[in-house]
Amino acid sequence: MIRPDDSILIGLSGGKDSLLLALALAILKKRSPVRFSLRACLIDQSNGAMEPERLAEYMAVLGIPLTIVKHPTYQIMKEREERSPCSLCANMRRGILANQAKELACGVIALGHHKDDAAETVLMNLFYGGRFKCFHPHLYMSRTRMRVIRPFVYIEERQIRLEAERLSLPVISSCCPYGDKSKRKSTKEIVAALEREVPELKSNIVHALRHLKENESWPAGMLNE
């Protein structure tokens, strides 16, 4: 995923995933024979509710320059009475990160999505959109000429949580007013329930993503006869 002389912008949320990703990349930077640089961007969407001071101190310890961008995402969604807040939020964050990457001369954006995120995204697209689809671990975006990498995509959330707790990472509690009502939360609960019967569920979904075969899908124009 990482190439020589890459300039990587880490998308921070303040959560355990992106904090552990920042630590992992900082350690890799010191040990890897491949030379690359790191920066980080935190998008404060909370309208003042977030307290990023400890996070800024942590980034300074890691030697990763941090940019904090304030954006009234939650206020915008409230005023619009947005019916799909998670989708709008993700689009806004994606655009802000891409703009920041350009301004900071970074050609790569690193995100902390893990295996649970991948499995949940597949099921959300299946349940609510009728498509078997997920984000890519390594993607080139031609419009912005950026690459997006997700180094944790094969790691389960449980493993990340345990490591973040062991290291006492300065995790910031989510300020999202929609978190408890989101489709992702309900899908996460469905996955947890299904895993009691099928422990390999998340791994099987990821395996299916990697081994999709064209001859196993129905033609788009096929009619029932």
Side-chain angles (χ1 to χ4, degrees):
M1 288 185 178
I2 298 176
R3 301 170 182 172
D5 299 317
D6 272 347
S7 296
I8 302 173
L9 181 67
I10 304 168
L12 290 182
S13 65
K16 63 186 185 310
D17 310 327
S18 59
L19 287 180
L20 190 62
L21 176 63
L23 173 60
L25 289 177
I27 293 173
L28 180 64
K29 182 174 179 289
K30 292 180 180 179
R31 299 181 179 180
S32 174
V34 177
R35 296 181 59 184
F36 61 93
S37 62
L38 293 172
R39 301 187 70 99
C41 178
L42 172 69
I43 304 173
D44 182 354
Q45 303 166 290
S46 67
N47 215 15
M50 180 180 283
E51 298 178 354
E53 290 78 14
R54 288 181 62 217
L55 181 59
E57 292 172 3
Y58 180 65
M59 288 296 109
V61 170
L62 294 182
I64 301 177
L66 173 65
T67 299
I68 299 177
V69 177
K70 294 187 177 182
H71 188 271
T73 308
Y74 301 151
Q75 185 63 33
I76 291 172
M77 291 191 292
K78 181 179 179 181
E79 291 173 356
R80 288 176 48 163
E81 298 181 353
E82 183 61 39
R83 296 183 62 183
S84 301
C86 294
S87 177
L88 177 61
C89 180
N91 288 336
M92 287 184 176
R93 285 176 57 83
R94 191 179 301 115
I96 293 169
L97 279 176
N99 288 336
Q100 284 299 308
K102 281 184 180 179
E103 290 184 15
L104 297 170
C106 294
V108 182
I109 297 173
L111 302 176
H113 295 125
H114 43 65
K115 184 188 286 186
D116 294 58
D117 289 323
E120 291 158 12
T121 298
V122 167
L123 293 181
M124 287 169 64
N125 281 322
L126 188 62
F127 295 160
Y128 304 109
R131 297 176 295 173
F132 191 87
K133 179 183 177 184
C134 188
F135 52 73
H136 285 259
H138 190 175
L139 173 69
Y140 176 72
M141 300 188 297
S142 58
R143 186 175 61 82
T144 57
R145 298 181 180 178
M146 297 274 174
R147 285 192 295 119
V148 176
I149 62 174
R150 295 176 168 93
F152 282 177
V153 77
Y154 293 118
I155 301 177
E156 293 198 9
E157 183 178 21
R158 178 184 61 84
Q159 297 170 297
I160 294 173
R161 182 180 66 253
L162 291 173
E163 191 65 8
E165 291 172 355
R166 185 183 73 83
L167 296 170
S168 299
L169 298 185
V171 174
I172 298 176
S173 299
S174 175
C175 300
C176 177
Y178 302 95
D180 290 336
K181 311 171 194 175
S182 68
K183 288 185 173 66
R184 183 167 293 276
K185 183 176 184 296
S186 60
T187 304
K188 185 181 289 290
E189 293 169 352
I190 292 171
V191 169
L194 290 173
E195 278 188 304
R196 288 193 282 272
E197 295 294 328
V198 188
E200 307 85 4
L201 176 66
K202 292 192 290 263
S203 294
N204 287 345
I205 292 175
V206 170
H207 180 272
L209 283 168
R210 297 184 61 200
H211 296 86
L212 287 173
K213 296 180 180 178
E214 187 175 347
N215 64 352
E216 293 179 353
S217 63
W218 289 4
M222 188 177 76
L223 300 175
N224 292 325
E225 296 181 356

